[in-house]
PDB file of all heavy atoms in Angstrom:
ATOM      1  N   ALA A   1      59.183  -8.887 -34.561  1.00  0.00           N
ATOM      2  CA  ALA A   1      58.368  -9.354 -35.697  1.00  0.00           C
ATOM      3  C   ALA A   1      58.813  -8.727 -37.008  1.00  0.00           C
ATOM      4  O   ALA A   1      58.898  -9.412 -38.044  1.00  0.00           O
ATOM      5  CB  ALA A   1      56.894  -9.068 -35.438  1.00  0.00           C
ATOM      6  N   LEU A   2      59.103  -7.443 -37.005  1.00  0.00           N
ATOM      7  CA  LEU A   2      59.452  -6.757 -38.266  1.00  0.00           C
ATOM      8  C   LEU A   2      60.747  -7.294 -38.887  1.00  0.00           C
ATOM      9  O   LEU A   2      60.772  -7.598 -40.089  1.00  0.00           O
ATOM     10  CB  LEU A   2      59.524  -5.239 -38.033  1.00  0.00           C
ATOM     11  CG  LEU A   2      58.149  -4.560 -37.841  1.00  0.00           C
ATOM     12  CD1 LEU A   2      58.317  -3.142 -37.318  1.00  0.00           C
ATOM     13  CD2 LEU A   2      57.342  -4.562 -39.139  1.00  0.00           C
ATOM     14  N   PRO A   3      61.844  -7.459 -38.122  1.00  0.00           N
ATOM     15  CA  PRO A   3      63.059  -8.036 -38.732  1.00  0.00           C
ATOM     16  C   PRO A   3      62.849  -9.460 -39.245  1.00  0.00           C
ATOM     17  O   PRO A   3      63.382  -9.829 -40.297  1.00  0.00           O
ATOM     18  CB  PRO A   3      64.086  -8.009 -37.591  1.00  0.00           C
ATOM     19  CG  PRO A   3      63.601  -6.979 -36.648  1.00  0.00           C
ATOM     20  CD  PRO A   3      62.106  -7.018 -36.738  1.00  0.00           C
ATOM     21  N   ILE A   4      62.070 -10.257 -38.509  1.00  0.00           N
ATOM     22  CA  ILE A   4      61.817 -11.636 -38.946  1.00  0.00           C
ATOM     23  C   ILE A   4      61.026 -11.638 -40.252  1.00  0.00           C
ATOM     24  O   ILE A   4      61.357 -12.368 -41.199  1.00  0.00           O
ATOM     25  CB  ILE A   4      61.074 -12.429 -37.846  1.00  0.00           C
ATOM     26  CG1 ILE A   4      62.017 -12.714 -36.675  1.00  0.00           C
ATOM     27  CG2 ILE A   4      60.501 -13.740 -38.399  1.00  0.00           C
ATOM     28  CD1 ILE A   4      61.341 -13.320 -35.452  1.00  0.00           C
ATOM     29  N   LEU A   5      59.987 -10.815 -40.326  1.00  0.00           N
ATOM     30  CA  LEU A   5      59.169 -10.763 -41.542  1.00  0.00           C
ATOM     31  C   LEU A   5      59.972 -10.243 -42.729  1.00  0.00           C
ATOM     32  O   LEU A   5      59.815 -10.724 -43.858  1.00  0.00           O
ATOM     33  CB  LEU A   5      57.924  -9.896 -41.305  1.00  0.00           C
ATOM     34  CG  LEU A   5      56.867 -10.523 -40.384  1.00  0.00           C
ATOM     35  CD1 LEU A   5      55.796  -9.509 -40.019  1.00  0.00           C
ATOM     36  CD2 LEU A   5      56.237 -11.740 -41.033  1.00  0.00           C
ATOM     37  N   GLN A   6      60.847  -9.271 -42.475  1.00  0.00           N
ATOM     38  CA  GLN A   6      61.681  -8.760 -43.569  1.00  0.00           C
ATOM     39  C   GLN A   6      62.627  -9.854 -44.086  1.00  0.00           C
ATOM     40  O   GLN A   6      62.782 -10.027 -45.303  1.00  0.00           O
ATOM     41  CB  GLN A   6      62.485  -7.548 -43.095  1.00  0.00           C
ATOM     42  CG  GLN A   6      63.363  -6.949 -44.184  1.00  0.00           C
ATOM     43  CD  GLN A   6      63.401  -5.427 -44.128  1.00  0.00           C
ATOM     44  OE1 GLN A   6      62.384  -4.771 -43.912  1.00  0.00           O
ATOM     45  NE2 GLN A   6      64.568  -4.853 -44.320  1.00  0.00           N
ATOM     46  N   ALA A   7      63.220 -10.614 -43.159  1.00  0.00           N
ATOM     47  CA  ALA A   7      64.103 -11.720 -43.565  1.00  0.00           C
ATOM     48  C   ALA A   7      63.309 -12.785 -44.323  1.00  0.00           C
ATOM     49  O   ALA A   7      63.793 -13.375 -45.285  1.00  0.00           O
ATOM     50  CB  ALA A   7      64.766 -12.333 -42.331  1.00  0.00           C
ATOM     51  N   LEU A   8      62.066 -13.024 -43.896  1.00  0.00           N
ATOM     52  CA  LEU A   8      61.214 -14.005 -44.562  1.00  0.00           C
ATOM     53  C   LEU A   8      60.883 -13.576 -45.991  1.00  0.00           C
ATOM     54  O   LEU A   8      60.956 -14.372 -46.937  1.00  0.00           O
ATOM     55  CB  LEU A   8      59.923 -14.191 -43.755  1.00  0.00           C
ATOM     56  CG  LEU A   8      58.857 -15.107 -44.365  1.00  0.00           C
ATOM     57  CD1 LEU A   8      59.376 -16.522 -44.532  1.00  0.00           C
ATOM     58  CD2 LEU A   8      57.594 -15.098 -43.504  1.00  0.00           C
ATOM     59  N   ILE A   9      60.551 -12.304 -46.163  1.00  0.00           N
ATOM     60  CA  ILE A   9      60.241 -11.770 -47.507  1.00  0.00           C
ATOM     61  C   ILE A   9      61.448 -11.931 -48.430  1.00  0.00           C
ATOM     62  O   ILE A   9      61.331 -12.385 -49.572  1.00  0.00           O
ATOM     63  CB  ILE A   9      59.807 -10.288 -47.409  1.00  0.00           C
ATOM     64  CG1 ILE A   9      58.435 -10.177 -46.734  1.00  0.00           C
ATOM     65  CG2 ILE A   9      59.763  -9.637 -48.792  1.00  0.00           C
ATOM     66  CD1 ILE A   9      58.074  -8.762 -46.280  1.00  0.00           C
ATOM     67  N   GLN A  10      62.635 -11.585 -47.907  1.00  0.00           N
ATOM     68  CA  GLN A  10      63.854 -11.689 -48.726  1.00  0.00           C
ATOM     69  C   GLN A  10      64.185 -13.147 -49.050  1.00  0.00           C
ATOM     70  O   GLN A  10      64.546 -13.480 -50.179  1.00  0.00           O
ATOM     71  CB  GLN A  10      65.021 -11.021 -47.995  1.00  0.00           C
ATOM     72  CG  GLN A  10      64.876  -9.504 -47.929  1.00  0.00           C
ATOM     73  CD  GLN A  10      65.814  -8.861 -46.906  1.00  0.00           C
ATOM     74  OE1 GLN A  10      66.492  -9.546 -46.138  1.00  0.00           O
ATOM     75  NE2 GLN A  10      65.847  -7.527 -46.891  1.00  0.00           N
ATOM     76  N   ALA A  11      64.021 -14.052 -48.069  1.00  0.00           N
ATOM     77  CA  ALA A  11      64.333 -15.465 -48.295  1.00  0.00           C
ATOM     78  C   ALA A  11      63.335 -16.113 -49.248  1.00  0.00           C
ATOM     79  O   ALA A  11      63.689 -16.976 -50.047  1.00  0.00           O
ATOM     80  CB  ALA A  11      64.333 -16.215 -46.958  1.00  0.00           C
ATOM     81  N   SER A  12      62.071 -15.675 -49.190  1.00  0.00           N
ATOM     82  CA  SER A  12      61.027 -16.287 -50.012  1.00  0.00           C
ATOM     83  C   SER A  12      61.165 -15.947 -51.488  1.00  0.00           C
ATOM     84  O   SER A  12      60.547 -16.580 -52.336  1.00  0.00           O
ATOM     85  CB  SER A  12      59.648 -15.868 -49.507  1.00  0.00           C
ATOM     86  OG  SER A  12      59.438 -16.377 -48.209  1.00  0.00           O
ATOM     87  N   GLU A  13      61.963 -14.927 -51.792  1.00  0.00           N
ATOM     88  CA  GLU A  13      62.218 -14.606 -53.210  1.00  0.00           C
ATOM     89  C   GLU A  13      63.044 -15.720 -53.858  1.00  0.00           C
ATOM     90  O   GLU A  13      63.005 -15.923 -55.062  1.00  0.00           O
ATOM     91  CB  GLU A  13      62.952 -13.267 -53.317  1.00  0.00           C
ATOM     92  CG  GLU A  13      62.045 -12.082 -52.955  1.00  0.00           C
ATOM     93  CD  GLU A  13      62.829 -10.785 -52.778  1.00  0.00           C
ATOM     94  OE1 GLU A  13      64.047 -10.800 -53.010  1.00  0.00           O
ATOM     95  OE2 GLU A  13      62.208  -9.767 -52.416  1.00  0.00           O
ATOM     96  N   LYS A  14      63.781 -16.479 -53.028  1.00  0.00           N
ATOM     97  CA  LYS A  14      64.631 -17.564 -53.557  1.00  0.00           C
ATOM     98  C   LYS A  14      63.942 -18.920 -53.452  1.00  0.00           C
ATOM     99  O   LYS A  14      64.060 -19.750 -54.344  1.00  0.00           O
ATOM    100  CB  LYS A  14      65.956 -17.606 -52.789  1.00  0.00           C
ATOM    101  CG  LYS A  14      66.763 -16.319 -52.923  1.00  0.00           C
ATOM    102  CD  LYS A  14      67.905 -16.301 -51.918  1.00  0.00           C
ATOM    103  CE  LYS A  14      68.562 -14.919 -51.891  1.00  0.00           C
ATOM    104  NZ  LYS A  14      69.525 -14.798 -50.797  1.00  0.00           N
ATOM    105  N   SER A  15      63.204 -19.168 -52.349  1.00  0.00           N
ATOM    106  CA  SER A  15      62.547 -20.470 -52.181  1.00  0.00           C
ATOM    107  C   SER A  15      61.435 -20.360 -51.146  1.00  0.00           C
ATOM    108  O   SER A  15      61.341 -19.378 -50.410  1.00  0.00           O
ATOM    109  CB  SER A  15      63.566 -21.509 -51.712  1.00  0.00           C
ATOM    110  OG  SER A  15      64.105 -21.116 -50.459  1.00  0.00           O
ATOM    111  N   VAL A  16      60.580 -21.389 -51.087  1.00  0.00           N
ATOM    112  CA  VAL A  16      59.499 -21.416 -50.098  1.00  0.00           C
ATOM    113  C   VAL A  16      60.122 -21.601 -48.709  1.00  0.00           C
ATOM    114  O   VAL A  16      61.017 -22.420 -48.533  1.00  0.00           O
ATOM    115  CB  VAL A  16      58.520 -22.571 -50.405  1.00  0.00           C
ATOM    116  CG1 VAL A  16      57.447 -22.656 -49.319  1.00  0.00           C
ATOM    117  CG2 VAL A  16      57.889 -22.365 -51.769  1.00  0.00           C
ATOM    118  N   GLN A  17      59.634 -20.851 -47.739  1.00  0.00           N
ATOM    119  CA  GLN A  17      60.233 -20.879 -46.401  1.00  0.00           C
ATOM    120  C   GLN A  17      59.200 -21.290 -45.353  1.00  0.00           C
ATOM    121  O   GLN A  17      58.593 -20.453 -44.694  1.00  0.00           O
ATOM    122  CB  GLN A  17      60.809 -19.493 -46.063  1.00  0.00           C
ATOM    123  CG  GLN A  17      61.922 -19.036 -46.971  1.00  0.00           C
ATOM    124  CD  GLN A  17      63.186 -19.857 -46.807  1.00  0.00           C
ATOM    125  OE1 GLN A  17      63.482 -20.341 -45.725  1.00  0.00           O
ATOM    126  NE2 GLN A  17      63.947 -20.003 -47.883  1.00  0.00           N
ATOM    127  N   ALA A  18      58.974 -22.592 -45.218  1.00  0.00           N
ATOM    128  CA  ALA A  18      58.082 -23.088 -44.160  1.00  0.00           C
ATOM    129  C   ALA A  18      58.858 -23.166 -42.848  1.00  0.00           C
ATOM    130  O   ALA A  18      60.070 -23.357 -42.851  1.00  0.00           O
ATOM    131  CB  ALA A  18      57.529 -24.458 -44.535  1.00  0.00           C
ATOM    132  N   PHE A  19      58.140 -23.021 -41.734  1.00  0.00           N
ATOM    133  CA  PHE A  19      58.733 -23.108 -40.390  1.00  0.00           C
ATOM    134  C   PHE A  19      59.992 -22.239 -40.298  1.00  0.00           C
ATOM    135  O   PHE A  19      61.056 -22.680 -39.865  1.00  0.00           O
ATOM    136  CB  PHE A  19      59.043 -24.566 -40.032  1.00  0.00           C
ATOM    137  CG  PHE A  19      57.844 -25.467 -40.190  1.00  0.00           C
ATOM    138  CD1 PHE A  19      57.863 -26.531 -41.076  1.00  0.00           C
ATOM    139  CD2 PHE A  19      56.690 -25.222 -39.472  1.00  0.00           C
ATOM    140  CE1 PHE A  19      56.761 -27.357 -41.235  1.00  0.00           C
ATOM    141  CE2 PHE A  19      55.566 -26.042 -39.624  1.00  0.00           C
ATOM    142  CZ  PHE A  19      55.605 -27.113 -40.511  1.00  0.00           C
ATOM    143  N   PHE A  20      59.852 -20.998 -40.704  1.00  0.00           N
ATOM    144  CA  PHE A  20      60.969 -20.053 -40.771  1.00  0.00           C
ATOM    145  C   PHE A  20      61.339 -19.534 -39.379  1.00  0.00           C
ATOM    146  O   PHE A  20      62.510 -19.341 -39.065  1.00  0.00           O
ATOM    147  CB  PHE A  20      60.572 -18.883 -41.688  1.00  0.00           C
ATOM    148  CG  PHE A  20      61.675 -17.920 -41.994  1.00  0.00           C
ATOM    149  CD1 PHE A  20      62.651 -18.229 -42.940  1.00  0.00           C
ATOM    150  CD2 PHE A  20      61.735 -16.681 -41.367  1.00  0.00           C
ATOM    151  CE1 PHE A  20      63.664 -17.323 -43.243  1.00  0.00           C
ATOM    152  CE2 PHE A  20      62.742 -15.776 -41.668  1.00  0.00           C
ATOM    153  CZ  PHE A  20      63.711 -16.095 -42.609  1.00  0.00           C
ATOM    154  N   ALA A  21      60.307 -19.301 -38.548  1.00  0.00           N
ATOM    155  CA  ALA A  21      60.556 -18.740 -37.214  1.00  0.00           C
ATOM    156  C   ALA A  21      59.636 -19.390 -36.195  1.00  0.00           C
ATOM    157  O   ALA A  21      58.504 -19.782 -36.510  1.00  0.00           O
ATOM    158  CB  ALA A  21      60.329 -17.230 -37.222  1.00  0.00           C
ATOM    159  N   CYS A  22      60.133 -19.501 -34.967  1.00  0.00           N
ATOM    160  CA  CYS A  22      59.339 -20.027 -33.857  1.00  0.00           C
ATOM    161  C   CYS A  22      59.400 -19.019 -32.710  1.00  0.00           C
ATOM    162  O   CYS A  22      60.488 -18.605 -32.298  1.00  0.00           O
ATOM    163  CB  CYS A  22      59.876 -21.377 -33.404  1.00  0.00           C
ATOM    164  SG  CYS A  22      59.017 -22.048 -31.956  1.00  0.00           S
ATOM    165  N   ILE A  23      58.219 -18.630 -32.231  1.00  0.00           N
ATOM    166  CA  ILE A  23      58.144 -17.696 -31.105  1.00  0.00           C
ATOM    167  C   ILE A  23      57.519 -18.425 -29.931  1.00  0.00           C
ATOM    168  O   ILE A  23      56.421 -18.992 -30.045  1.00  0.00           O
ATOM    169  CB  ILE A  23      57.313 -16.433 -31.458  1.00  0.00           C
ATOM    170  CG1 ILE A  23      58.036 -15.600 -32.521  1.00  0.00           C
ATOM    171  CG2 ILE A  23      57.112 -15.555 -30.225  1.00  0.00           C
ATOM    172  CD1 ILE A  23      57.792 -15.995 -33.923  1.00  0.00           C
ATOM    173  N   LEU A  24      58.207 -18.433 -28.800  1.00  0.00           N
ATOM    174  CA  LEU A  24      57.705 -19.104 -27.600  1.00  0.00           C
ATOM    175  C   LEU A  24      57.204 -18.079 -26.587  1.00  0.00           C
ATOM    176  O   LEU A  24      57.833 -17.032 -26.377  1.00  0.00           O
ATOM    177  CB  LEU A  24      58.810 -19.948 -26.957  1.00  0.00           C
ATOM    178  CG  LEU A  24      59.279 -21.164 -27.772  1.00  0.00           C
ATOM    179  CD1 LEU A  24      60.440 -21.851 -27.062  1.00  0.00           C
ATOM    180  CD2 LEU A  24      58.141 -22.141 -27.999  1.00  0.00           C
ATOM    181  N   SER A  25      56.070 -18.401 -25.975  1.00  0.00           N
ATOM    182  CA  SER A  25      55.438 -17.516 -24.997  1.00  0.00           C
ATOM    183  C   SER A  25      55.048 -18.324 -23.768  1.00  0.00           C
ATOM    184  O   SER A  25      54.728 -19.513 -23.894  1.00  0.00           O
ATOM    185  CB  SER A  25      54.192 -16.890 -25.637  1.00  0.00           C
ATOM    186  OG  SER A  25      53.173 -16.704 -24.689  1.00  0.00           O
TER     187      SER A  25
END
């Protein structure tokens, strides 16, 4: 979760990031 959220924060500085990650359980 932490690496994904960090990548999301960095990517969102450039553009909106919908459906960035999918976790299957």
Side-chain angles (χ1 to χ4, degrees):
L2 287 168
I4 289 172
L5 289 170
Q6 181 142 318
L8 175 62
I9 290 166
Q10 290 165 353
S12 295
E13 289 168 4
K14 299 168 190 171
S15 61
V16 176
Q17 297 292 328
F19 307 119
F20 187 78
C22 176
I23 293 86
L24 293 176
S25 146

